[in-house]
Amino acid sequence: KVLFEGAQGTMLDIDHGTYPYVTSSNTIAGAVCTGAGIAPQQIDSVLGISKAYTTRVGGGPFPTEDKGPQGEKLRTAGKEFGTVTGRPRRCGWFDAVVVRTAARLNGLNSMALTKIDVLSGLPTIKICTGYEYGGKEYQELPASARILANATPIYEELPGWEEPLN
């Protein structure tokens, strides 16, 4: 058994990400075949990993970014600072639209949700289930980065919890 770990996130993929705010390589699961020199039939399972909230480094569209105190709490509690540079990451609410897109692009068999403990102490938890732009509702990621950058998230709000999970 061999485990391959991909670098960076799906939305940074040069072909399927939010261009031009992408990396110079393919970050989706299918790229492991090219990078490792194995046939697609050799991949038995694809596990997706997502934080319980969303982060982004640098520029680019981020509809669920929270620039207020809750975004700062996510950044501080989640230690969302660049390992080398110490640069703060942009933080926001879980974006189910992006995660659904990533699940489709990567052909996920299963999913792991990390850092849910960071949400402890928040009165409500927001989950983005779609976007609104120009009077139109989007349940899928819009093809236009301009639309995504100007979209308003549609949230489902859930009650938070006070007790720590760790």
Side-chain angles (χ1 to χ4, degrees), residues 132-157:
E132 190 279 323
Y133 176 78
K136 182 178 177 187
E137 210 171 284
Y138 293 82
Q139 297 302 312
E140 299 292 329
L141 202 62
S144 166
R146 182 184 55 76
I147 291 175
L148 185 60
N150 293 293
T152 301
I154 299 168
Y155 288 117
E156 181 177 327
E157 293 192 20

Side-chain angles (χ1 to χ4, degrees), residues 22 38 51-52 56 58 70 78 98 100 120 132-133 140 162:
V22 296
I38 61 169
K51 296 175 190 172
R56 183 156 195 150
Q70 290 182 326
V98 167
R100 277 194 309 267
S120 294
E132 190 279 323
Y133 176 78
E140 299 292 329
E162 290 298 320

Side-chain angles (χ1 to χ4, degrees), residues 8 24 27-28 37 43 45 59 66 71 79 99 109 111 135 144 160 163:
Q8 310 199 21
S24 61
T27 62
I28 62 171
I43 305 293
S45 181
D66 189 317
K79 299 178 177 66
V99 173
N109 300 97
M111 177 103 185
S144 166
E163 56 281 342

Side-chain angles (χ1 to χ4, degrees), residues 75 81 103 122 165:
R75 180 179 300 108
F81 299 90
L122 293 173
L165 300 179

